[in-house]
Amino acid sequence: MEKQDLIYQKLLELIKLDDLNNEHMYKNTPASSASIPVGISNRHVHLSQSDVSLLYGENYQLTPYKELAQPGQCACKETVILCGPKGALERVRVIGPARVQTQVEILSGDCFALGIKAPVRISGDISGSSGLTIIGPKGSIQLTEGVIVAQRHIHMHPEDAKRFSVENEQVVKIEVDGPRGGILNHVLIRVSENSALECHIDVEEANALGVQSSSSIKIIE
Amino acid sequence: MEKQDLIYQKLLELIKLDDLNNEHMYKNTPASSASIPVGISNRHVHLSQSDVSLLYGENYQLTPYKELAQPGQCACKETVILCGPKGALERVRVIGPARVQTQVEILSGDCFALGIKAPVRISGDISGSSGLTIIGPKGSIQLTEGVIVAQRHIHMHPEDAKRFSVENEQVVKIEVDGPRGGILNHVLIRVSENSALECHIDVEEANALGVQSSSSIKIIE
């Protein structure tokens, strides 16, 4: 493990899971055997370590701020400004730790504010996606691609996959109850040994279906 | 017809349906026999004539700016600022003509920005709903109720209701195709002699389901 990863892990251990976070970001609830907890994501950014250096200064290390449900993932103290040809979005949260590839996940409605057209993609699939400018306190980055609207998906451990009778990369439908309830198609199953059971939808999807951080959803087919 | 209504009608006639509007507001498409055009509404305000006077000056008349699909309805040149305990939303469009009762229709996500909790309600059903402050160039209004998140609904003429085998106030489900498609429950049918066929959803619902102004939806049950 590299020194920067060790520092990051140490900081993660020091975090208290308290009421620091009043944002709309990856909140979740325990699952019953049939229902799946929901993580609601707002726009956010994953940065490569070289881009962290460009935005925050040479060898700068991201500062974990709140642990997320996915093991090792964390909302960081750092935020950036996203700029497109029509406008800017301020205080966009950085998610740590640093990744191999910088990726910006925005809301569909942000495309209008920024003046760009980001495709609906699964995380990591950024080839030919949109670009924009990321601004930090010490510099900026001109991304030519890496901006997506995240495709809704369900993280799960292989044991969960067995329990729900689904497999990795299967596309399912999910059902949401309540006065704004409905069914969302094209939800990708992502199975990994390092994953906690959690359905990721974004703020617009959550608001449209009346989903809150305490809600859970069901796979229906 | 009162003088102010006559002025409003005259202005409406003068509007050219051109490219003035680059906003996310009530765009629609022609319907086939099976599909229903969609009108996508952003946050907006309906004002009583007395509130128009309070915000814009005594006897001020709203200025039509772009005709909407519903006969006689129009996006106006005027905008207001909405203020809650946590924040403000600027450039919120006024929809004309003036109504008996002032009503503010916001997005679910706006509740977070404003710091209020608006219920999901059908237009007109504002008893016990939220309040906020509306700011205009000549004054402000402290609303104690009238702020809602609009329940999705389908406007139609009695002839359409026959064709779709539905009746006024029936609650149906609608289906949206495409890569972000799905089904939305609890869509209210509103039948009136003055209505054009149009399914009204808000910007968050449209973005979550990948619905655009050129999309159409189907009633499925």
Side-chain angles (χ1 to χ4, degrees):
Chain A
M1 193 179 267
E2 287 182 24
K3 191 183 164 195
Q4 65 193 47
D5 292 334
L6 278 169
I7 294 168
Y8 191 87
Q9 282 307 320
K10 207 67 202 168
L11 281 166
L12 261 189
E13 287 164 21
L14 291 170
I15 290 175
K16 286 183 186 67
L17 288 171
D18 57 18
D19 58 351
L20 276 175
N21 189 337
N22 193 24
E23 297 179 34
H24 229 6
M25 170 66 83
Y26 289 135
K27 295 170 183 171
N28 67 309
T29 48
S32 78
S33 61
S35 67
I36 297 175
V38 176
I40 303 170
S41 359
N42 205 339
R43 63 185 74 90
H44 63 273
V45 175
H46 302 278
L47 295 173
S48 67
Q49 184 55 44
S50 62
D51 283 347
V52 169
S53 293
L54 284 171
L55 294 170
Y56 296 96
E58 198 62 39
N59 297 318
Y60 185 91
Q61 300 301 314
L62 293 173
T63 320
Y65 164 83
K66 185 170 195 264
E67 274 193 327
L68 302 178
Q70 295 309 309
Q73 296 286 301
C74 195
C76 293
K77 195 169 147 261
E78 290 78 14
T79 62
V80 295
I81 302 174
L82 302 180
C83 295
K86 275 186 67 180
L89 296 169
E90 299 184 358
R91 292 183 296 282
V92 178
R93 187 65 58 191
V94 177
I95 301 298
R99 286 190 177 184
V100 173
Q101 209 171 26
T102 291
Q103 177 174 292
V104 178
E105 298 179 39
I106 60 174
L107 307 175
S108 176
D110 293 341
C111 295
F112 186 76
L114 292 166
I116 63 172
K117 282 185 182 178
V120 176
R121 293 277 183 86
I122 204 72
S123 182
D125 177 18
I126 62 169
S127 171
S129 61
S130 299
L132 51 57
T133 303
I134 307 179
I135 314 258
K138 296 284 177 69
S140 67
I141 304 161
Q142 309 288 330
L143 278 190
T144 53
E145 64 180 19
V147 186
I148 63 171
V149 174
Q151 185 184 337
R152 41 209 183 214
H153 55 277
I154 305 175
H155 290 290
M156 58 175 70
H157 188 272
E159 288 299 320
D160 296 316
K162 262 189 218 166
R163 185 157 59 99
F164 289 106
S165 302
V166 293
E167 53 190 40
N168 191 37
E169 300 203 348
Q170 188 174 335
V171 175
V172 300
K173 296 182 182 183
I174 60 172
E175 185 170 42
V176 175
D177 292 332
R180 262 196 156 186
I183 291 167
L184 295 175
N185 303 340
H186 307 301
V187 185
L188 190 79
I189 301 290
R190 306 200 79 174
V191 182
S192 136
E193 290 285 350
N194 289 322
S195 293
L197 182 65
E198 189 179 39
C199 177
H200 280 182
I201 59 175
D202 70 23
V203 170
E204 290 182 314
E205 291 170 321
N207 288 345
L209 278 288
V211 174
Q212 299 178 319
S213 51
S214 56
S215 305
S216 56
I217 58 92
K218 281 179 190 169
I219 294 175
I220 56 164
E221 65 183 76
Chain B
M1 193 180 265
E2 288 182 24
K3 192 184 165 196
Q4 63 194 48
D5 292 335
L6 279 168
I7 294 168
Y8 191 87
Q9 284 305 320
K10 207 66 201 168
L11 280 166
L12 260 189
E13 286 162 21
L14 291 168
I15 290 177
K16 286 183 186 69
L17 288 173
D18 57 20
D19 58 353
L20 274 176
N21 189 337
N22 192 24
E23 295 180 34
H24 230 3
M25 172 64 82
Y26 290 132
K27 296 168 180 170
N28 66 311
T29 49
S32 78
S33 61
S35 69
I36 297 174
V38 176
I40 303 170
S41 358
N42 206 340
R43 63 185 74 91
H44 63 273
V45 174
H46 302 277
L47 296 172
S48 67
Q49 185 54 44
S50 62
D51 284 346
V52 169
S53 293
L54 284 171
L55 294 171
Y56 297 95
E58 198 62 39
N59 296 320
Y60 185 91
Q61 300 301 314
L62 292 172
T63 321
Y65 164 82
K66 184 172 196 266
E67 274 192 327
L68 302 179
Q70 295 309 309
Q73 298 285 301
C74 195
C76 292
K77 193 167 149 266
E78 290 78 13
T79 62
V80 295
I81 302 174
L82 302 180
C83 295
K86 275 186 66 180
L89 297 170
E90 301 184 357
R91 292 182 295 281
V92 176
R93 188 65 58 193
V94 177
I95 302 298
R99 286 191 178 183
V100 173
Q101 209 170 27
T102 290
Q103 177 174 293
V104 178
E105 297 179 40
I106 60 174
L107 307 175
S108 175
D110 293 341
C111 295
F112 186 75
L114 293 166
I116 64 172
K117 284 185 182 179
V120 176
R121 294 277 184 85
I122 204 73
S123 182
D125 176 19
I126 62 169
S127 171
S129 61
S130 299
L132 51 56
T133 304
I134 306 178
I135 315 258
K138 295 284 177 70
S140 68
I141 303 162
Q142 309 288 332
L143 277 191
T144 53
E145 64 180 18
V147 186
I148 63 170
V149 174
Q151 187 184 337
R152 40 208 183 215
H153 55 278
I154 305 174
H155 290 290
M156 58 174 72
H157 188 272
E159 288 300 320
D160 297 315
K162 260 189 219 165
R163 184 157 60 98
F164 289 105
S165 302
V166 293
E167 54 189 39
N168 191 36
E169 300 203 347
Q170 189 175 335
V171 175
V172 300
K173 296 182 183 184
I174 60 171
E175 185 170 41
V176 176
D177 292 331
R180 259 195 159 186
I183 291 168
L184 295 175
N185 303 340
H186 307 299
V187 184
L188 191 79
I189 301 289
R190 306 200 77 173
V191 182
S192 135
E193 292 284 349
N194 289 323
S195 293
L197 182 65
E198 188 179 40
C199 177
H200 279 182
I201 59 176
D202 70 24
V203 170
E204 290 183 313
E205 291 170 322
N207 288 345
L209 277 288
V211 173
Q212 299 178 319
S213 51
S214 55
S215 305
S216 57
I217 58 94
K218 280 179 189 167
I219 294 175
I220 57 165
E221 65 183 78

